[in-house]
Amino acid sequence: MTSGRFLSVVGAFALFVGACGGQEGGKSTGSAGATGTGGTISSGGSSGTGTAGTPGSAGTGGAVSGTGGQASGGSTATGGAGAGSGGAAGGAGAAGTSGSGGSAGAGGSTATGGAGAGSGGAAGASGRGGGPGGASNGGSSGAGGASTGGSSGAGGSASGGGAGGSSAARPSKGCGVQDGAKTLTTGGSSVMSALPTSTRLKITSGGMNREYIIDIPANYDPTHPYRLIFSWHQAYGSDTGNANGLHPANDGPNFDAKNYAYFGLHRVMTAANDTAIFIAPGGIGNLPWDYNRDVVLFDDLLALVDANLCIDDSRVFTTGFSFGAMMSYALTLGRPSKLRGAVAMAAANYNFTQPTNAHVAIAYMGTTGMSDGTCPWGNDTMGGKACNLQHAKDNGCTIPAGNNIPTTTVGSKKFVCYDFEGCKAGYPVKACTFDGPHTPSSVDDGSSTGDDGLKAFIPPLAWKFIAQF
């Protein structure tokens, strides 16, 4: 749909729906790509000068996040993208875990960037639990580099999916079920203009007939635990638009399945030689989500996939834009034990009944346009800012004085990302604000504005945030 229709209708519900946006701050990063000491990422990708150093050491590039990990007695480094092929046995996992002994790096709790962290050394490259020294799947980004282009170190997320983070994969019941994918998709249909790997299916949930779209890798391996990503569409949107890349807010180029399916995550994931399973639930009506009703849909879909497909139960994620971001945020409060992390684009902490916050740590990334009049940044208790602050508190992060999260400015044509410091290891909180309106696909490259499915800055950052685990 066009932006005029979407924004005008949502605007009419402004008093009811409220705003969902957010600004963010970066520890001294801007669109030019400079990095700061808190592991922040700039719109330029802060690629740095090198993705890997000698065994155990890291390069000087990437977003800095403390002292990094040390691999098998190797020298520590101040960031760097990943940890290359790492030490002799474990490789410096970007989450600060490294070396053959798997000791944690001192800066592991700060940085959030860096998809994967090298091959994880001799034993961690399989991506299915990691080796005895490093974190699984080569280690998550953690203290390692957070640069675009330096995101995978020596091997990235090995075997295309599964894990990273600080623990081995937790295979679902469906792992080893040879005909699970066929059983699940039998009776399904293709999705118009979507990827050939996407299938429309039906499910009975809460006594209602519901629909959803699932995207399963063409080379699906029933013995490999994949990441599972829920992708929730916006108000006046659809699961179809989610799967075929139709732009959810404004008009612009490159909004198709190849470039923007599942908010662009599928494209960036494929470019990184990684894989995951995506689910796009179908909402009801123009204001599509109701937590009390749709948390049941989430539970039912997760159980169905868990029984038929091989996923990593410890690496289930949720993402969404606007109303879909609200649903994702609500799930982080009500279902944190079932989720590893969330990327909420223009979220809010109101509009529908909010679940009781379980105060369980969960990795969280929120984005907001500073000109967003539909879902604005808000304040300490309401809006995108409040969502970021809530998870920062739940994750034990250090809150900036006066709750003053650094943000970008209107007219700068830049985005700024702020990574909270001192968070519980493996549970980062990242807040990104940009010079733009209510959209998940702003260009914000420092010289232009607008929306582009291929050039949007959020998809690479969002995938990097997810892929570190």
Side-chain angles (χ1 to χ4, degrees):
M1 64 175 298
T2 63
S3 59
R5 181 185 175 191
F6 177 81
L7 294 178
S8 62
V9 176
V10 176
F13 286 93
L15 294 178
F16 170 71
V17 176
C20 20
Q23 29 185 152
E24 70 109 4
K27 279 209 114 12
S28 68
T29 58
S31 75
T35 62
T37 61
T40 59
I41 305 173
S42 72
S43 68
S46 57
S47 62
T49 60
T51 62
T54 57
S57 62
T60 59
V64 181
S65 80
T67 60
Q70 60 181 27
S72 190
S75 58
T76 58
T78 57
S85 57
T97 60
S98 63
S100 59
S103 59
S109 62
T110 317
T112 62
S119 62
S126 68
R128 300 183 187 179
S136 65
N137 202 23
S140 65
S141 66
S147 63
T148 303
S151 61
S152 61
S157 299
S159 281
S166 57
S167 62
R170 194 167 74 238
S172 65
K173 297 176 182 177
C175 291
V177 179
Q178 294 300 314
D179 296 328
K182 180 179 179 181
T183 299
L184 181 63
T185 57
T186 295
S189 60
S190 60
V191 183
M192 182 179 296
S193 302
L195 300 170
T197 47
S198 292
T199 304
R200 183 184 303 281
L201 296 168
K202 297 181 180 181
I203 184 175
T204 299
S205 176
M208 304 178 68
N209 295 322
R210 304 294 297 270
E211 291 190 353
Y212 68 99
I213 295 171
I214 189 167
D215 188 90
I216 303 173
N219 61 344
Y220 170 73
D221 178 356
T223 66
H224 174 67
Y226 293 84
R227 295 185 187 91
L228 175 64
I229 303 173
F230 281 81
S231 184
W232 305 83
H233 66 79
Q234 72 285 354
Y236 296 88
S238 67
D239 52 351
T240 299
N242 198 332
N244 63 23
L246 293 179
H247 195 248
N250 305 313
D251 294 323
N254 297 314
F255 290 105
D256 51 31
K258 177 182 178 182
N259 291 304
Y260 208 67
Y262 310 104
F263 298 109
L265 288 177
H266 198 286
R267 169 179 55 81
V268 180
M269 172 195 72
T270 301
N273 294 317
D274 211 335
T275 50
I277 295 172
F278 289 85
I279 286 185
I284 297 177
N286 292 327
L287 300 178
W289 310 118
D290 176 282
Y291 178 79
N292 292 329
R293 177 193 68 204
D294 294 315
V295 70
V296 179
L297 177 62
F298 169 79
D299 290 341
D300 290 342
L301 287 172
L302 180 56
L304 182 64
V305 171
D306 190 86
N308 289 278
L309 301 180
C310 189
I311 64 171
D312 183 349
D313 281 338
S314 68
R315 288 168 178 84
V316 178
F317 300 85
T318 184
T319 189
F321 165 59
S322 192
F323 220 118
M326 297 181 202
M327 185 61 193
S328 285
Y329 176 73
L331 286 171
T332 65
L333 303 183
R335 290 293 185 271
S337 63
K338 294 186 177 182
L339 293 169
R340 183 62 180 84
V343 175
M345 296 168 283
N349 55 346
Y350 46 86
N351 184 59
F352 48 62
T353 301
Q354 293 292 297
T356 300
N357 185 8
H359 298 292
V360 175
I362 181 173
Y364 183 81
M365 173 179 169
T367 72
T368 301
M370 294 305 290
S371 298
D372 191 334
T374 303
C375 295
W377 180 241
N379 53 45
D380 293 354
T381 60
M382 184 173 290
K385 180 182 181 182
C387 294
N388 284 286
L389 285 174
Q390 184 61 67
H391 281 299
K393 294 174 183 176
D394 290 346
N395 293 10
C397 309
T398 300
I399 308 299
N403 295 331
N404 293 320
I405 302 173
T407 62
T408 193
T409 57
V410 175
S412 66
K413 298 182 180 180
K414 300 178 181 180
F415 71 86
V416 176
C417 285
Y418 176 79
D419 295 287
F420 285 82
E421 297 182 335
C423 303
K424 179 181 178 181
Y427 293 92
V429 176
K430 185 182 196 69
C432 294
T433 52
F434 60 93
D435 179 21
H438 187 63
T439 176
S441 51
S442 176
V443 175
D444 280 84
D445 57 4
S447 60
S448 61
T449 57
D451 294 271
D452 189 306
L454 180 60
K455 298 178 181 179
F457 80 90
I458 292 177
L461 292 182
W463 177 253
K464 188 180 299 181
F465 186 81
I466 290 173
Q468 68 185 295
F469 305 111

